[in-house]
């Protein structure tokens, strides 16, 4: 714990960070509201100009008939799966073992909706067409998360997506996109959001990952699907009298950052290469396919945190505020390239990675 | 529809309003944030100083062991009832036929939690001790809404509350308070929030009724109950990465208005008397027991809206932006006294009510 506290403290003192868009503080909302006319009326339980305009903007961007703003992706995705299950009268869906619904939602899908998930692929790789074909139970919906966050943000090849989409349509299986980080993968695929979303029946996108808003999500799909999702949104307690704090910030940062995803992707590749040059370090994926990747280091957690503390204190550059053990002798952390990386002076970055490599060579015992 | 549009338009042009705290616009949030240090860190999935401090403040104010901030009362109350049902392994609760859960939540309690409500009392009056004693089925929880909003904000006598509370404890029935407007009834009862809440096992309060915040709710109760409610909050999709826009505004307007509930209550009685002096008008309750009441008028909706339009255009004082029919020949609207009433010049108010009475005497045909 001493090393952890020291590292967290040292990280907080750094002026430069390689990950993210900067602090998640109240200023993020204040900046988003600065130019907004205070006389504008609040949305009211899902109605009104602010929410309707943004929903229409996102439906158009994603190439879907309609869209609805949700306070959270957790709520949006459970509801999407529930609608597809009810429509087919089959209470089974399929998704990856490290799907957000499986590991981060306290089993809401099972406890609230009584939907049984079938886990496809394994914890080291993304879902393939073969996994879907091999399914021997009837499912209402297949959920694909692009990129697969918990394994460093891996992606299937685009041809695989197309093949899975065609197979599902043929078999009457609805295809849902967990696109929490959809915008972040478009540069790698070289596709528009609309092109990717056309492969899916329903799509969720988040506004506080690459976009860097305060919170909130959009669920998009056909008109009937979205109309039904609004009923469930009210049942879940998500049809708030006012969602504008999230909508206005989502809209503000969407406009600010939607055009920067290519830059973040390029910088993620550059940064991953810097990590991979270091002794005892490997990134996953080796070459990122979005703005994110995981950094795996062959070193016990306490040793690594001591080492990182020294580096932060010496260089003023923060690499991560936490590490997670993968074994007794190894650990990892996640990088999501945003606005901050671009602002780290190149010489400080070089100095930091030289020092990291030097210390790892000395200490990792390799 | 022509009358309705004319009335809505005329209402928007008025400079003085007798109900509410003013426009629900973005300025409400901007004002709440104006003095907040932008460097303050966001709450993170239910953790952090902003959310923890406010939860502690509200637990203390309500006299409960612990409290948790929810994005909505819909979510908070379904979860409270679910916990009590699970604890007793009885999937039945009792509440009023016009309970929020019964008429405003698209049956979330039934569809998500499979809890069966038993309706007590009837649509014209509040629940009595006799209603509870007469229950011939086992229930896990009784929900009381104080005041009963949909019938004008009526209240049982305090002695009845105490007797119901004692009876429920004796019978092993949990008592939950829908206290969306709890603060608003304290002056009538002459009790503190803590004293009223001591009669209940769990309590929900809202921050956008009398308090006039942006959105959000607190659920308070024992430590285990609150700990369990946080798991369900995540399942519902309410454990947002950042709830601070609602928390900061709730806190701001709580401090600003918690001391004004006595004033609002006194003014509501004054205002109800003004309505009751008019021909064809009666308020419900006749004498308010909080800041709210309903105004019933014996006149067909279209005629009333035409008449109100004229009054708004003539006086510049807005009485209501909507009316709801109760029959072919009568309708009603709701008044919640807030900061706005106090700012209406007394002579304009007198002129308005004189005109209202004059027009009603002429047109109501009585």
């Amino acid at each position: 714990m001493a090393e952890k506290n020291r590292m967290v403290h040292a990280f907080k003192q750094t002026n430069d960070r390689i990950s993210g868009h900067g602090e998640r503080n109240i200023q993020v909302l204040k900046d988003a509201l600065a130019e907004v006319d205070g006389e504008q009326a609040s949305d009211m339980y899902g109605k009104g100009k602010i929410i309707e305009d943004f929903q229409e903007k996102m439906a158009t961007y994603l190439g879907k008939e309609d869209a609805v703003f949700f306070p959270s992706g957790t709520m949006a995705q459970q509801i999407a799966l529930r609608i597809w299950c009810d429509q087919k009268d089959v209470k089974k869906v399929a998704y990856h073992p490290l799907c957000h619904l499986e590991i981060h939602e306290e089993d809401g899908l099972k406890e609230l909706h009584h939907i049984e998930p079938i886990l496809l692929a394994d914890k080291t790789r993304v879902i393939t067409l073969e996994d879907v074909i091999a399914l021997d139970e009837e499912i209402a919906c297949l959920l694909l998360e692009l990129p697969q966050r918990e394994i460093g943000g891996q992606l299937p090849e685009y041809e695989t997506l197309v093949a899975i989409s065609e197979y599902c349509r043929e078999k009457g299986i609805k295809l849902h996109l967990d696109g929490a980080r959809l915008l972040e993968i478009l540069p790698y695929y070289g596709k528009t959001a609309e092109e990717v979303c056309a492969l899916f029946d329903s799509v969720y996108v988040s506004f506080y990952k690459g976009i860097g808003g305060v919170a909130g999500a959009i669920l998009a799909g056909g008109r009937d699907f979205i109309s039904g999702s609004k009923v469930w949104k009210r049942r879940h307690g998500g049809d708030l009298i006012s969602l504008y704090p999230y909508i206005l910030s989502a809209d503000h940062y969407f406009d600010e950052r939607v055009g920067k995803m290519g830059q973040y992707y390029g910088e993620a590749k550059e940064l991953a290469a810097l990590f991979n040059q270091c002794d005892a370090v490997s990134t996953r994926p080796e070459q990122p396919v979005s703005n994110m990747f995981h950094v795996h280091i062959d070193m016990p957690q306490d040793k690594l945190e001591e080492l990182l503390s020294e580096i932060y204190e010496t260089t003023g550059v923060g690499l991560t505020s936490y590490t997670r053990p993968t074994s007794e002798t190894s650990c990892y952390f996640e990088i999501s390239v945003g606005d901050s990386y671009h602002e780290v002076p190149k010489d400080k970055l070089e100095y930091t990675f030289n020092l990291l490599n030097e210390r790892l060579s000395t200490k990792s015992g390799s």
Side-chain angles (χ1 to χ4, degrees), chain A residues 30-256:
Chain A
K30 287 192 165 202
D31 288 348
L33 295 177
E35 302 294 312
V36 177
D37 177 9
E39 301 290 306
Q40 252 197 290
S42 169
D43 53 309
M44 288 288 282
Y45 300 111
K47 306 275 184 206
K49 188 169 163 55
I50 287 178
I51 191 165
E52 287 167 13
D53 282 1
F54 188 64
Q55 288 173 168
E56 196 181 321
K57 176 175 173 173
M58 285 301 115
T60 303
Y61 176 74
L62 300 169
K64 293 294 180 193
E65 275 182 3
D66 207 353
V68 56
F69 192 87
F70 272 92
S72 73
T74 296
M75 197 184 290
Q77 296 206 106
Q78 285 181 27
I79 287 172
L81 298 190
R82 174 64 183 259
I83 291 171
W84 295 137
C85 283
D86 281 357
Q87 187 174 302
K88 196 173 182 175
D89 200 16
V90 168
K91 286 281 214 178
K92 281 183 189 166
V93 298
Y95 54 52
H96 193 271
L98 296 174
C99 175
H100 196 274
L101 291 100
E102 190 64 14
I103 63 172
H104 289 308
E105 302 182 7
E106 295 279 2
D107 279 341
L109 188 73
K110 300 163 203 169
E111 297 287 341
L112 287 169
H113 295 286
H114 309 285
I115 292 172
E116 183 192 328
I118 295 164
L119 307 181
L120 292 187
D122 63 46
K123 292 184 180 183
T124 64
R125 63 170 178 84
V126 297
I127 293 170
T128 63
L129 175 62
E130 291 65 37
D131 294 320
V132 186
I133 293 174
L135 261 170
D136 55 5
E137 292 181 86
E138 195 179 14
I139 57 168
C141 179
L142 168 65
L143 179 151
L144 293 183
E145 181 185 346
L146 304 180
Q148 198 72 50
R149 186 254 179 118
E150 299 290 344
I151 49 174
Q154 297 181 41
L155 280 179
E157 287 310 307
Y158 197 73
E159 295 64 40
T160 302
L161 279 190
V162 173
I164 291 176
S165 173
E166 282 171 0
Y167 179 82
C168 286
R169 265 173 210 174
E170 203 176 284
K171 297 291 178 184
I173 298 168
K174 295 294 178 184
L175 192 58
H176 171 78
L177 171 57
D178 178 341
R181 295 166 182 79
L182 168 64
L183 277 62
E184 292 89 320
I185 62 168
L186 300 176
Y188 171 76
Y189 279 147
K191 302 286 177 186
T192 64
E194 188 173 349
E195 285 168 323
V196 176
C197 292
L199 304 174
F200 294 84
D201 297 289
S202 54
V203 175
Y204 139 71
V205 292
S206 170
F207 294 98
Y208 64 91
K209 278 83 180 187
I211 295 297
V214 177
I218 276 280
L219 183 65
R223 217 170 294 285
D224 289 349
F225 170 83
I226 292 303
S227 166
S229 77
K230 289 178 182 174
V231 175
W232 283 106
K233 179 182 166 189
R234 176 156 284 231
R235 288 176 178 153
H236 264 254
D239 191 20
L240 306 194
I241 184 168
S242 297
L243 282 167
Y244 70 78
Y246 300 132
I247 299 168
L248 292 171
S249 50
D251 198 19
H252 176 85
Y253 292 108
F254 178 85
D255 288 348
E256 185 171 311

